Amino acid sequence: MSVNENIFKIVKQIPIGKVTTYGAIAKAIGLQSSARYVGWALNSTKFSSDIPAHRVVNRLGELTGKMHFPTPTYMREMLESEGVEFAGDRIIMEEHLWIPPLIN
């Protein structure tokens, strides 16, 4: 399985109402310092409906990938519709963070 396929496999596992981080995905696939690569891979999907990329945020809970969605508010609207809560512009990570399992 390719690196990108592993990234997409993890993103598809993120439960509704939860988010994970670019860095957590990188760690889960063995690319410890490659959070940026995860972002590039997700952007390459060009808004594929079967990959819930809106559930991937930065380590602070900020929506740094929002510019890659149809509108600037789409990502937040999708997350809020799934029950994800915000404090200002950040997700309440203590409530909504999901850590992906390691892929062998």
Side-chain angles (χ1 to χ4, degrees), residues 3-101:
V3 173
N4 283 13
E5 289 171 328
N6 281 330
I7 291 168
F8 304 149
K9 179 180 176 181
I10 288 174
V11 174
K12 289 178 183 181
Q13 295 175 31
I14 304 169
I16 292 172
K18 297 291 183 180
V19 297
T20 197
T21 67
Y22 300 102
I25 293 170
K27 182 176 180 180
I29 63 172
L31 296 175
Q32 187 70 25
S33 298
S34 297
R36 188 167 285 156
Y37 182 87
V38 173
W40 289 328
L42 291 175
N43 187 37
S44 76
T45 67
K46 294 299 176 203
F47 192 64
S48 172
S49 62
D50 66 328
I51 300 173
H54 65 280
R55 296 183 189 145
V56 184
V57 300
N58 77 9
R59 65 185 175 82
L60 301 174
E62 298 169 333
L63 309 183
T64 53
K66 66 185 175 186
M67 74 290 265
H68 298 290
F69 289 91
T71 69
T73 58
Y74 180 88
M75 191 175 182
R76 183 173 180 140
E77 291 166 359
M78 288 293 294
L79 290 169
E80 287 178 333
S81 76
E82 295 177 351
V84 174
E85 300 167 292
F86 287 76
D89 289 332
R90 293 183 179 179
I91 292 167
I92 302 171
M93 296 296 274
E94 300 80 15
E95 298 290 324
H96 300 286
L97 179 62
W98 176 79
I99 302 296

